[in-house]
Amino acid sequence: MTDETSVRLDIQAHGNTLHARVHAGPYQVFGAELALLIEALLDRVEQDPEIRAVVFSSAHSGRFISHADVKWLQEGGAQYVARQQATTPPPPPPADYVGLDRLHGLLLRMNSIGVIFIAALEGHALGLGAEFAWACDLRVMASEDAFIGQPEVLLGIMPGGGGSQRLPRLVGTHKALVAILDGRPLTSSQALEIGAVDAVVPKADVVAKALALADYLGRRHKPSIGAIKRSVYFGSSLPLQDGIKLEAKEFLTLDVSPEGQQLMLAYQTGADLLGDLPLYVADQYETALEDGRTAKSYS
């Protein structure tokens, strides 16, 4: 029998998508153990070319992820102070230690690899639960019995898992500022209206909707997904000329790759066969969107 208090990910494959159901103890909190499990999952999906998307949902009936494990935060802060005040260099932390840098690295890695991550928000998400959802590429939220937000100000702290950076990039600086200062969570309708989530559906349909989006977007070229994510997530906040340089680097890497060259030559073949550019021939664009690539039948 499985211990329902254990922290684990129950993972099922749906074609090229993995559905990871999060078990995070009786309170469904995000702590070091869960971070290490997600880190291992990222290793798996990055190394497997067949995995194109991951949907995260929750084993808890009413919560996606409640918030960070407060004991983990408090103890981490105390350890940080002790290290700063130590008169001799402290020993290195153990291999399974998850501090703020490692947590940030985990979420930034989600933003950089060629896999679509979708949060299936069947229930509530606060604090680091919300920040984990913001770090995903898309969010599907239940229309009832669900809210999401950053309540840290009410605990005398502020978002520490990227919430003050990712939420403004999703909804705009002022809306994010007001929401974080207030500490009040967003309802599903409020979150959808300001662009904090991508779809709102009945609770019973959240996972199915997330899996459908994962299947659709996951049909796209995995290296292209990664390059696009890095260019958008990391380039769009740079000065324009620096963002353009990052985009050019990612573009040229794809452009000169054997697969990129093959697909572009196939597209040219398609134009010769069809008598027009394939994306301007009836139904070809819709077919390409569904397949995740053009020129599928031309090469």
Side-chain angles (χ1 to χ4, degrees):
M1 181 181 294
T2 303
D3 180 6
E4 291 303 317
T5 66
S6 65
V7 177
R8 67 186 190 278
L9 297 177
D10 287 344
I11 300 174
Q12 291 184 320
H14 296 260
N16 297 111
T17 297
L18 295 183
H19 176 198
R21 200 159 175 254
V22 178
H23 294 254
Y27 297 124
Q28 195 70 0
V29 294
F30 195 119
E33 194 173 353
L34 179 57
L36 293 172
L37 290 172
I38 296 171
E39 195 174 75
L41 177 61
L42 296 190
D43 290 340
R44 174 182 172 183
V45 303
E46 196 165 19
Q47 294 165 10
D48 189 339
E50 299 304 314
I51 298 175
R52 304 297 184 86
V54 176
V55 169
F56 289 103
S57 71
S58 172
H60 193 290
S61 61
R63 303 174 191 176
F64 176 64
I65 295 173
S66 300
H67 49 60
D69 181 345
V70 176
K71 182 180 179 183
W72 173 50
L73 295 184
Q74 180 271 320
E75 290 179 348
Q79 291 170 14
Y80 174 80
V81 171
R83 286 177 175 275
Q84 294 298 305
Q85 295 177 345
T87 56
T88 58
D96 61 352
Y97 175 75
V98 179
L100 204 54
D101 287 349
R102 190 166 183 176
L103 175 66
H104 287 160
L106 169 69
L107 301 182
L108 287 168
R109 191 175 169 197
M110 289 172 60
N111 297 145
S112 69
I113 63 178
V115 174
I116 303 294
F117 295 100
I118 302 180
L121 299 157
E122 298 170 278
H124 309 317
L126 292 175
L128 188 50
E131 289 169 314
F132 181 64
W134 308 143
C136 289
D137 302 304
L138 290 93
R139 289 147 293 279
V140 178
M141 193 171 181
S143 56
E144 71 279 12
D145 300 325
F147 55 65
I148 186 168
Q150 305 286 166
E152 289 86 353
V153 69
L154 305 178
L155 281 77
I157 55 175
M158 64 168 284
S164 70
Q165 301 304 303
R166 286 189 175 88
L167 187 57
R169 285 164 168 78
L170 284 172
V171 307
T173 301
H174 184 68
K175 288 185 176 67
L177 175 67
V178 172
I180 295 171
L181 285 175
D182 185 9
R184 188 188 312 274
L186 300 167
T187 66
S188 55
S189 60
Q190 291 169 333
L192 182 65
E193 182 181 0
I194 66 172
V197 300
D198 300 281
V200 170
V201 298
K203 186 171 185 173
D205 299 331
V206 169
V207 171
K209 176 67 173 177
L211 288 171
L213 283 170
D215 174 66
Y216 174 71
L217 292 175
R219 297 173 200 172
R220 280 122 182 89
H221 183 228
K222 188 168 184 175
S224 294
I225 292 172
I228 290 165
K229 286 174 58 172
R230 290 187 294 272
S231 187
V232 170
Y233 283 127
F234 306 139
S236 61
S237 58
L238 294 173
L240 180 59
Q241 56 268 49
D242 295 330
I244 292 293
K245 289 177 182 177
L246 174 58
E247 180 188 83
K249 174 180 176 292
E250 297 288 358
F251 167 77
L252 288 171
T253 300
L254 295 171
D255 184 57
V256 303
S257 69
E259 188 170 9
Q261 289 287 309
Q262 180 185 8
L263 288 172
M264 287 184 285
L265 288 171
Y267 186 82
Q268 295 175 55
T269 300
D272 294 337
L273 291 172
L274 297 169
D276 198 354
L277 300 171
L279 290 178
Y280 287 87
V281 175
D283 299 329
Q284 291 294 311
Y285 210 138
E286 285 301 319
T287 299
L289 289 171
E290 288 300 316
D291 291 342
R293 61 193 296 174
T294 61
K296 191 170 183 179
S297 60
Y298 309 140
S299 53

